[in-house]
Every structure is written in C-alpha cells, then in structure tokens.
C-alpha cells in the first residue's frame, strides 16, 4: 500500500516548499523550527550503529547517570526558555530522537533537568503540565523505537519464515496502542499550549494510563522476539532488557501512576456529564477549542473561548460522544468506518454509565477501591476521546478509521464492555502501515516523522549488533544492522 | 506428606466467611498469598449471595452466557473467590473491587495496577487464587492423575536440555517431573501475561542443588523470579511463579519462600512417584485444566 502520513495542513495554511533531503516542515515557522531542531539533534546524536564516539551517547547503565551534555548537544536540547517559542508539543517532538535512543539517557538529559526547571512557579501552569508529561512522552518514544526495530525484524523474517507472520497482528495492536498513548500525551501537551491553566486531569490521565499500556506493549515485544528465536544475547533483546531496567531505575512510572490516579479521583465530579457540558458552555466556542487541541503538529491560534481555562478535560472527554455523532453523519460506504462508529457509540454509552457513581466518588480519596476503579475507567475513556479526536482532524493514515478502530476495540476490551459484532479486522491495514514505515525509514509516531538513520537492510538473523551503544530500539537497525558499519543516512550529504 | 503444611504452601479457605486471618498474615509477612478451595464449598454461599450480581460486575454477561451449567457455576465461584481473596488482603469490601482483564487474558484489579497482582487457576473442582504485592504472579493446577505424554509432547514443551534430563530419568520419576515442569511453565507464562501465546519450549527451567526450580536463563531479570510446587488435597499439583520487584525482599519473600518450597517440591515428586493417589489406577481420562 502507499505509505501515508498525517495529512497536510488545510488550504488556508501554506506548507513550506519541499526540498531534497529536507523533512516535511509543516505549516509554519514554529513547525519548521521544531522539525529542523529534532533533525539536528538526531545528527548530533550520531548513527546508532556506529561505536560510541566522544559525542555519541552510550545508552547503557552509564547513560542513565550521564550528566547533561555541553556544546552543540547541550544547545540543541530544549530548555525552559524554549517552551514559549516551540510550545510544549514542539519541545517533546524535538526530544523524540533522544527518547528513541534510550530511556535512561532521555531521563538523564531531558526529563529530569527539564521537569525540575519547569517545576518552579515562574514556569506557569503550562510549564508544569509539560514537566509532568515528559515522562510519558519519553516512554512512548523509547517504546516506539523498540517497536520499529521489532516490526522490521518480523517483516524481514516473514519473507523466509512464514510462521513469523502470526506476530503481525500483535505488533499491529501494539502500534495502535502506542499511537493512542501518543495521541493522549500530545493532546494534553497542546492543551497546555492552548489554555492558560492546561488540563491537569488530562495530564494525570496520561501519567496514569500511558505507563500501563506501554508496559504491555514492551511485554509483547519481548514475547515476539523470544518466539522469533532471538536469544537473550541478541542486541534487540538486550535493548529491551535495558529499557525495562531504565524504567525501574527512573522510578517514574509508579510515581506518575499513583499521582495521576489521585488527581483523576479528585477530578471525577468535574468529569460528570461531558456531553451535557458541551451544550451548557457555549457549544460553538467549546467545539472550536476542542477541535484545535486535536490538530497535532499544527500551529494553534490564540486560545478561543472566554479566556483562561476555556478548554477543560471535560471538553476533551466530550469529544468522545461528539466524534461518535460526527462519524455517524458521514456517508462513506466504508466497512471500517461503520465498525468504528459502532465501537465509538459503545464507548460513548460506557461514558454515560459512569455518571451515576460520580457524586459519591468525589467525596472519597485515593484509598477507595471504587474510586480507583472509576478513575481507571475514566482514564481509558479519555484515551478513547483522544484517539477519536486526533483521527477526525488528521489526514492520511491517522485520518483513516483502521488504527482508531483497533485502538478503541482494545480500549473496549480493557473496560470489560461487550464489543459490537465485528465486521472486519483492521489489524491487516495497520500492520501494512507499520511495515511500510519500517521499510521507508518513517518513525512509529503520530507525525510520521522521517528518521535520519534508516538502517543497513542486512539480514535480521545476524549476530548481536555492533554494540554501538544503541538504546532501547532506535528503529534504525539496532541489532538488525549486524556486523556492518553505519546505517544509511537519509538525504545523502547535507541537512 | 501433603505439602499443605509447608511454609508458602497454598492456604485453604472454605467459604466467603473465611477465616481469612492466615491469608492476611501470610500476605503481610511475605507479600503474597495463594488460596485454594473447591467450587462446591463456595457454591451455595456464592449463588445465595444477594450481592452476586454486583460481585460479578462486568463478568456477569460472561457468566450468564457460559453454555454449560457446570462451567457457569465454576466461573461464577472462581470470580467470587478472587474478589474475596483480594478484598481480604486489601481490607476492603469484595463488592467494591472491579476485576479487569488485560488483552492477553490476565486478570488485574482495576485501579490497583503496580500495587496488587492476581492469578487464577481451576481444574476439576479445585480453584486456586494468588495475590501478590511484590510483582507479577501466576498459578497453575493439575490433577496428579493427568497423563501428559513426555514422548509425544517433549518437542512442544521442553527445551533440548530439559528433554535430555527428563529422558535420563527413570520412567516413574520422569512422569512426575514432567507434570511439575508443565505446571511451572503454565504458571510462569500466566504471570508474564502471555498465556498460550508463549511456547513452552522457549522457556527453560533447571534445578538447583536444593531441588528448587529456577529459570535456565541466568540473567538478573530471570533471577528475580521464584517458583514453588506443592501437592494440594493429596490430588493436585499447584505451581506458583512470582517475580519480586524488590519491595518485599526484606520481609522474607522471594527466594526464601522458594527455597523451603523447593525441598517440599522434591518430596512432592517422590510422593507422586510412590503413590500418585487413589485415583491413579482407575483409568479415568486425563483431567482438563480450565484456563481462567
């Protein structure tokens, strides 16, 4: 199938002209700045298949303890002063190459210093929201790199070992889950950019649910690599083990999950009746602000609505029934779309059923088991709202229903709700996109970012990689690069 | 020797009223507890419980639509036992708990991710529930009368090293060791949340000098796992796999428990070899393990 990426900006926003060797720069100066800065960071990080040099990070236990770099690398890493210029979403996009390289390194060079700097009062609510979202963003980036590596290996294996094809639906589901996690995180980041106070409950939902889902994705990747016959000494398995060790060492996930859950419990009363809230708050204004928050990678306009706090988590939650209604108005004769509408309606119904226990749950604390369960369900529904909202505003692959259908089917199962009768399996379409991205050197992210280092294309069955300090799945040939030298660099000589 | 008296062996709870003291004490002491019972002991109390509908929660449609009455009842009781066990160690009401299922089928307690792990196994009349606060846990139970053919299944179940060791054993000891290995692998893959997706032949075990089962992979991650096997009710092999994330090491969990139970497990195999139980000679068909 033709590889597609998140669609181009609308006709009212002129895209930068394309240039050979240049990645797509998006819809304006801010987007171009973000994309180019991320590319420059990738250049400075170097080829992951080369042995570590003086400037190349070693994504190992030493990487976790590495002090922040100086010089060119230090200058390209965003600091608190960059938040206003790049936006919270932009800062995370710039950091993605670092997160893909290694979770430990990402925490040492970005998450800890930046979240610490943003914790102060001068950073404002938006800065604090960004600080809280760096952990989930780093996790999504690292897992995306590992998924890219594993998917490329399975894609190549399937050509000579047909049995490897049984893992394609598993990896397709993991891809859908990661896109969902990144959608939720990115929507929370955009909300921090678009509103004065950010959306603390949405940030809390990301901190709570992203580590859970990413943990399950990483477990799947370990299973696939093991069942594909890769021993514990293979670079891909070692990279996953390093990622697991980095998660434990950072201690970020349990703390974020507990804190996120406590915040969600406190926010439960305010999340009641999201569909009705959209009507009471001035539907048109709220609708505009809500849809803007789902336009990932696009420059936001000045906050709309009545000023500070114009967009709330409840508005984002309201996107679930609103998106289900808008989908139902479409007249496409697409079985995948029809299936997505059914699942979206089912989830909107689940959201309505959670309204009743809210008044009681609002008076309880984090120790209350019923409140914990409600918060868990609410977080999953916010994840679903983010998936639907992003899908509705995107073009290309993200704008098609298959990934959302797969992600929402899994959300429905996690909620324990009955699924509508299945009419088609979207995993094939999602796997085709994932496999295509690994062949074309495109990242597994929601932006469809081009990867600078695209791997050597050598056999996946080669020995443990070059040991070139690869992190948890750079997606550019960690391990799969075998004994050869550097990965192929996109764009030839220059950037 | 029944294995039920050994430290770390599963604890019997005869009904919703408990007593649960020993279970709570064990959980406080080592960070996890394994409970065994039968659905017959719980059936009346479960079905007569006016809160059954709330207790089953989201599992109720699955309960109602299970085709066979016996399976339906076993399903209902097993969920009730899970909630009561979790509620006992958490000090909360069973109806307040919400059991969810991960995409791989693993039960979890909604809202308690990272704080409490669950596993469920049932075979014939036996129900086994494990709860752990230290890390992932998995249990499996098989009737000792279950005949699993080493010759037919070694390629699917055993690593080459395991097959070699088993083949070298006398036939009577080989059957007991093979069944124990089966339950260990089942328990381990359930703890990993991978269930039937994980091929048993890719998971290797070996035995240390004390007869304790350990993973053949000697990595730090593998060493965090401990395994026990016990004989329950003189009829069932119950294996437990758990990973200690380190929080309960100081309390004596993990390796300590496994060490003692490893000795008991060696005695279990001796017991199976010498006297597998009164039903072994009846020629009854192999028991079916009902996957949770």
């Amino acid at each position: 199938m033709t590889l597609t990426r998140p669609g181009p900006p609308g006709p009212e926003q002129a895209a930068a002209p394309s240039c050979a060797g240049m990645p797509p720069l998006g819809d304006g100066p801010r987007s171009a700045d973000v994309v180019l800065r991320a590319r420059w960071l990738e250049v400075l990080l170097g080829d992951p298949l080369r042995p570590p040099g003086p400037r190349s990070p070693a994504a190992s236990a030493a990487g976790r303890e590495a002090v922040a770099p100086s010089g060119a690398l230090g200058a390209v890493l965003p600091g608190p002063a960059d938040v206003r210029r790049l936006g919270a979403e932009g800062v995370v996009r710039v950091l993605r190459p670092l997160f893909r390289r290694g979770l430990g390194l990402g925490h040492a060079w970005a998450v800890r210093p930046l979240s610490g700097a943003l914790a102060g009062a001068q950073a404002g609510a938006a800065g604090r929201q960004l600080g809280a979202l760096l952990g989930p963003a780093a996790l999504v980036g690292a897992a995306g790199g590992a998924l890219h590596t594993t998917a490329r290996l399975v894609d190549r294996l399937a050509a000579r070992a047909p049995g490897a094809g049984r893992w394609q639906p598993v990896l397709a589901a993991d891809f859908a889950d990661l896109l969902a996690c990144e959608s939720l995180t990115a929507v929370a980041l955009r909300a921090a950019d678009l509103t004065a106070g950010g959306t603390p409950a949405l940030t809390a939902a990301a901190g709570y649910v992203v580590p859970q889902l990413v943990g399950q994705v990483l477990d799947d990747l370990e299973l696939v690599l093991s069942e594909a016959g890769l021993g514990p000494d293979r670079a891909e398995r070692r990279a996953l083990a390093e990622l697991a060790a980095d998660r434990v060492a950072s201690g970020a996930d349990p703390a974020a999950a507990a804190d996120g859950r406590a915040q969600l419990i406190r926010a439960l009363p305010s999340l009641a009746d999201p569909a009705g809230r959209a009507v009471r708050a001035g539907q048109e204004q709220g609708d505009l602000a809500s849809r803007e928050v789902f336009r990932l990678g696009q420059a936001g306009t000045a906050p709309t609505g009545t000023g500070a706090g114009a967009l709330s988590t409840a508005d984002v939650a309201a996107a679930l029934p609103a998106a289900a209604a808008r989908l139902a108005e479409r007249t496409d004769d697409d079985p995948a779309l029809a299936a997505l509408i059914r699942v979206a309606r089912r989830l909107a119904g689940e959201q309505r059923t959670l309204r009743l226990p809210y008044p009681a749950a609002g008076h309880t604390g984090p120790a209350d088991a019923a409140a914990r369960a409600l918060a868990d369900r609410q977080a999953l529904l916010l994840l679903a709202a983010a998936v639907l909202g992003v899908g509705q505003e995107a073009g290309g692959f993200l704008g098609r229903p298959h990934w959302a259908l797969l992600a929402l089917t899994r959300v429905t199962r996690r909620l324990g709700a009955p699924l509508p009768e299945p009419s088609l399996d979207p995993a094939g379409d999602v796997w085709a996109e994932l496999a295509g991205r690994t062949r074309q050197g495109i990242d597994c992210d929601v932006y469809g970012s081009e990867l600078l280092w695209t791997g050597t294309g050598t056999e996946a069955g080669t020995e443990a990689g070059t040991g070139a300090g690869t992190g948890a799945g750079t997606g550019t040939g960690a391990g799969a690069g075998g004994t050869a030298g550097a990965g192929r660099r996109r764009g030839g000589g220059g950037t | 020797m029944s294995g039920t008296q050994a430290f770390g062996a599963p604890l019997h709870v005869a009904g919703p009223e408990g007593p649960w003291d020993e279970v709570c004490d064990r959980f406080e002491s080592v960070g996890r507890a394994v409970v065994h019972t039968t659905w017959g002991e719980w059936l009346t109390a479960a079905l007569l419980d006016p809160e059954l509908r709330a207790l089953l929660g989201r599992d109720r449609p699955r309960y109602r639509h299970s085709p066979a009455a016996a399976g339906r009842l076993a399903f209902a009781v097993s969920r009730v036992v899970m909630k009561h066990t979790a509620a006992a160690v958490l000090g909360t009401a069973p109806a307040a708990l919400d059991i969810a299922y991960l995409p791989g089928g693993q039960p979890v307690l909604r809202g308690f991710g990272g704080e409490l792990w669950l596993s469920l196994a049932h075979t014939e009349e036996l129900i086994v529930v494990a709860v752990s606060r230290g890390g992932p846990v998995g249990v499996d139970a098989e009737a000792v009368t279950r005949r699993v053919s080493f010759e037919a299944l070694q390629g699917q179940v055993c690593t080459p090293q395991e097959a070699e060791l088993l083949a070298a054993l006398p036939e009577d000891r080989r059957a007991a060791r093979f069944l124990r290995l089966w339950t260990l692998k089942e328990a381990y893959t359930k703890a990993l949340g991978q269930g039937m997706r994980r091929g048993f032949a890719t998971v290797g075990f070996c035995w240390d000098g004390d007869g304790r089962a350990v993973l053949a992979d000697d990595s730090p991650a593998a060493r965090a796992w401990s395994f026990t096997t016990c004989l329950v009710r003189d009829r069932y092999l119950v294996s437990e796999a758990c990973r200690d994330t380190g929080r309960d090491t100081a309390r004596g969990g993990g390796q300590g428990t496994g060490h003692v139970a490893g000795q008991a497990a060696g005695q279990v195999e001796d017991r199976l070899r010498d006297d597998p139980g009164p039903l072994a000679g009846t020629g009854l068909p192999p028991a079916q393990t009902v996957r949770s």
Side-chain angles (χ1 to χ4, degrees), chain B residues 74-144:
Chain B
F75 177 90
V77 172
S78 67
R79 268 57 188 177
V80 169
V81 175
M82 255 202 303
K83 282 202 175 181
H84 276 272
T85 304
V89 300
L90 291 174
T92 189
L97 299 178
D98 186 355
I99 293 177
Y101 299 90
L102 298 183
Q106 188 178 24
V108 293
L109 209 52
R110 192 179 297 283
F112 286 85
E115 294 181 30
L116 191 74
W117 286 262
L118 299 175
S119 184
L120 167 71
H122 42 123
T123 187
E124 295 181 353
E125 61 172 354
L126 183 76
I127 295 170
V128 181
V129 170
V131 290
S132 171
R133 69 168 172 228
V137 66
V139 285
D140 184 53
E142 299 288 347
V144 299

Side-chain angles (χ1 to χ4, degrees), chain A residues 146-402:
Chain A
L147 173 64
H148 199 280
T149 300
T150 307
R152 185 167 62 186
L153 186 143
V154 167
D155 187 37
R156 291 174 179 169
L157 267 180
R160 55 189 174 88
R166 69 190 167 118
W167 301 115
Q168 293 170 0
V170 174
L171 297 180
D174 292 335
F175 184 34
D177 278 353
L178 275 189
L179 288 175
C181 288
E182 192 179 359
S183 295
L184 178 62
T185 308
V187 166
L189 288 164
R190 284 185 69 79
D193 289 332
L194 292 171
T195 70
T199 49
L202 193 63
T203 298
Y208 174 73
V209 83
V210 166
Q212 287 184 50
L213 264 61
V214 170
Q216 291 158 28
V217 168
L218 296 177
D219 287 345
D220 276 352
L221 299 185
E222 167 62 24
L223 171 68
V224 171
L225 292 176
S226 170
E227 291 294 302
L230 273 68
D233 291 335
R234 280 289 300 263
E236 297 91 341
R237 295 280 304 273
R238 290 205 317 269
L240 272 183
E242 281 176 19
L243 202 164
D246 288 343
R247 288 187 72 191
V248 173
S250 75
D253 294 347
D259 186 57
R261 182 175 52 227
Q263 284 197 58
L264 279 168
I265 289 173
R266 287 193 292 273
L268 284 175
S270 69
L271 293 170
D273 195 12
R277 183 185 174 90
V279 173
R280 290 191 298 273
Q283 187 162 359
E284 190 175 337
Q285 291 280 11
D287 196 39
L288 280 174
S290 293
R291 296 188 71 165
E292 180 119 32
V293 82
F294 296 116
R295 293 176 181 145
L296 304 188
Q298 295 184 33
T301 60
T304 58
T306 56
L311 182 72
S312 70
T313 302
D315 293 323
V316 175
L320 176 52
R326 274 201 296 276
L327 281 172
E329 292 169 1
R330 285 171 57 170
T331 55
D332 318 38
D333 186 21
D334 181 352
L337 177 63
L340 178 61
I341 292 169
R342 287 194 294 272
V343 173
R345 281 177 165 165
R346 181 62 52 86
L347 288 173
E350 285 293 308
Q351 192 182 61
R352 282 193 298 275
T353 66
L354 293 188
R355 289 165 48 194
L356 291 175
Y358 276 171
H363 298 290
T364 61
D368 185 86
R372 283 176 173 237
L374 264 179
D376 182 276
R377 291 181 180 279
Q378 189 57 262
L380 288 169
L381 288 167
L382 286 169
L383 183 78
V387 167
L388 278 174
V390 166
Q392 292 222 307
E393 300 300 327
F397 171 69
L398 282 196
R400 297 209 317 274
H402 298 79

